[in-house]
């Protein structure tokens, strides 16, 4: 029998807020309900935005809330070699290509198209899809640019990856917190275009490291915010091309701020540290988020 495993995976690029408290405590509750393990993972690949102070804050806030997790905690910044090995496989299988357009190039390309009266397609987050023109570069030209030291990111060739599937791509989405009933949701990775798998400055990306780690850590249940629902499409495709097992998903409701908007890490009044130092108890936090 597989051991059921849940995880909470924050990024130390800001302070935790009520939305994180909900996600962490919901994971704890659901894991406890089924006698599963609960892991904490620190998603700190972006070494420019993540800081040791924010990481310390995460441990302090979660402990205060009453969360307990297994040690040692996996910190993604210590595993770049593993992500690089997965990327190398995708390079060898020609499922990724070097993308040389800078953000400025992309903006200029798209506004030129839009000036000519054509709306450029956007991904589910509203970001313009990458104009995949580097895909048509000859091997010689690619190699020349790389040898010249032109900066590039590795992007997934979504069409190539999809063409290798021998079945439909979907995932199991649990219907509610009882995790008893589930639906199959069709994955639509093409809606994201050719996403970045390794950034110019970082040898991996959120999507690549998250699917690698969920597999390496034996995660069976991914309970996270609704804001990552559509990202699951990309992650299912990656799991498929990398031959990784597929976990079940539950994308929970988001805790909204008083203005009805999603909480952000800059909203100090809903930050857990500010609430704690202002005298709010963990019990009151649970009441505030309805757990
Ligand atoms: N590290 C991501 C975040 O803080 C969450 C990743 C996930 O749960 O898949 O938004």
């Amino acid at each position: 029998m597989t051991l059921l495993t849940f995880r909470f995976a924050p990024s130390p690029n800001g302070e935790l807020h009520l939305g994180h408290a909900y996600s962490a405590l919901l994971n704890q509750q659901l894991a406890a309900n089924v006698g599963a393990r609960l892991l904490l993972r620190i998603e700190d690949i972006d070494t420019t935005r993540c800081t040791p102070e924010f990481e310390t804050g995460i441990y302090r806030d979660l402990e205060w809330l009453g969360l307990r997790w297994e040690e040692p905690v996996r910190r993604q910044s210590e595993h770049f070699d593993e992500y690089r090995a997965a990327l190398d496989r995708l390079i060898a299988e020609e499922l990724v290509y070097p993308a040389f357009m800078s953000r400025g190039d992309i903006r200029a390309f798209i506004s030129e198209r839009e000036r000519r009266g054509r709306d450029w397609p956007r991904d589910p987050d509203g970001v313009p899809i990458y104009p995949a023109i580097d895909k048509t570069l000859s091997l010689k030209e690619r190699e020349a640019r790389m040898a010249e030291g032109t900066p590039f990111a590795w992007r997934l060739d979504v069409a190539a990856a999809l063409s290798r599937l021998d079945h439909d791509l979907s995932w199991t989405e649990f219907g509610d917190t009882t995790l008893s009933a589930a639906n199959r949701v069709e994955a639509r990775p093409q809606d994201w275009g050719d996403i970045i798998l390794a950034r110019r400055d970082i040898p991996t990306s959120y999507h690549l490291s998250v699917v690698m780690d969920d597999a390496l850590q034996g995660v069976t249940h991914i309970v996270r915010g609704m804001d990552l629902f559509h990202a699951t499409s990309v992650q299912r495709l990656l799991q498929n091309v990398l031959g990784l097992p597929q976990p079940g998903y539950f994308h929970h409701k988001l805790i909204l701020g008083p203005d009805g908007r999603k909480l952000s890490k800059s909203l100090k009044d809903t930050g857990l540290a500010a609430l704690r130092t202002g005298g709010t108890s963990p019990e009151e936090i649970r009441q505030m988020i309805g757990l």
Side-chain angles (χ1 to χ4, degrees):
M1 203 186 90
T2 13
L3 196 54
L4 301 182
T5 304
F6 289 61
R7 51 59 159 190
F8 176 60
S11 295
N13 56 10
E15 286 179 11
L16 297 189
H17 53 58
L18 287 173
H20 296 106
Y22 180 75
S23 202
L25 292 171
L26 183 64
N27 266 287
Q28 182 180 47
Q29 183 180 311
L30 299 188
N33 287 350
V34 290
R37 302 166 68 199
L38 177 62
L39 307 177
L40 173 65
R41 183 166 75 226
I42 299 293
E43 301 213 323
D44 59 349
I45 57 167
D46 190 338
T47 47
T48 55
R49 293 176 62 221
C50 296
T51 68
E53 291 74 28
F54 286 136
E55 186 175 335
T56 308
I58 288 176
Y59 301 131
R60 184 197 53 213
D61 293 347
L62 294 179
E63 251 168 39
W64 171 71
L65 279 178
L67 202 82
R68 297 293 173 262
W69 55 87
E70 287 184 20
E71 298 283 352
V73 167
R74 185 174 172 92
R75 300 173 69 242
Q76 291 188 324
S77 58
E78 293 169 355
H79 297 276
F80 284 138
D81 289 352
E82 287 156 57
Y83 311 133
R84 177 74 218 184
L87 180 68
D88 285 343
R89 274 178 54 198
L90 298 175
I91 295 172
E93 291 176 34
E94 296 181 10
L95 286 171
V96 288
Y97 62 90
F100 298 98
M101 288 173 92
S102 66
R103 275 185 208 191
D105 296 337
I106 299 173
R107 250 196 317 272
F109 181 92
I110 291 171
S111 42
E112 172 56 24
R113 291 298 158 112
E114 294 199 318
R115 238 194 320 276
R116 287 197 246 141
R118 207 174 133 227
D119 278 348
W120 192 260
R122 316 252 149 183
D123 71 21
D125 282 347
V127 176
I129 300 277
Y130 185 68
I133 48 178
D134 318 84
K135 235 184 334 202
T136 57
L137 288 179
S138 68
L139 190 61
K140 222 172 121 197
E141 208 165 333
R142 245 179 223 183
E143 282 171 354
R145 289 205 197 180
M146 286 161 88
E148 271 165 18
T150 312
F152 65 93
W154 287 103
R155 285 187 179 260
L156 180 66
D157 185 340
V158 174
L162 282 172
S163 72
R164 303 214 191 155
L165 292 180
D166 55 5
H167 52 78
D168 289 345
L169 199 62
S170 59
W171 77 83
T172 298
E173 178 77 28
F174 293 107
D176 58 37
T177 55
T178 62
L179 305 186
S180 49
N183 291 316
R184 288 303 287 181
V185 180
E186 182 203 354
R188 297 189 46 85
Q190 60 274 30
D191 291 352
W192 291 92
D194 291 346
I195 48 115
I196 293 184
L197 283 197
R199 290 164 41 169
R200 290 172 164 216
D201 51 340
I202 302 173
T204 185
S205 62
Y206 158 61
H207 290 300
L208 181 59
S209 23
V210 91
V211 298
M212 289 292 297
D213 284 358
D214 286 332
L216 284 162
Q217 296 191 288
V219 173
T220 55
H221 289 68
I222 295 182
V223 174
R224 61 184 180 186
M226 203 58 197
D227 50 342
L228 289 171
F229 182 85
H230 292 292
T232 311
S233 281
V234 172
Q235 295 173 14
R236 280 292 300 119
L237 181 61
L238 279 178
Q239 285 160 354
N240 198 283
V241 293
L242 291 166
L244 306 174
Q246 46 167 314
Y249 292 84
F250 177 59
H251 290 94
H252 60 69
K253 67 170 185 186
L254 297 179
I255 302 289
L256 302 177
D259 56 358
R261 294 179 47 186
K262 195 182 136 184
L263 299 180
S264 87
K265 284 182 174 162
S266 54
L267 279 177
K268 291 279 180 274
D269 50 342
T270 50
L272 297 183
L275 287 164
R276 186 184 63 246
T277 49
T280 309
S281 70
E283 206 32 62
E284 285 163 334
I285 299 277
R286 282 179 181 274
Q287 279 163 17
M288 288 165 83
I289 56 181
L291 274 181

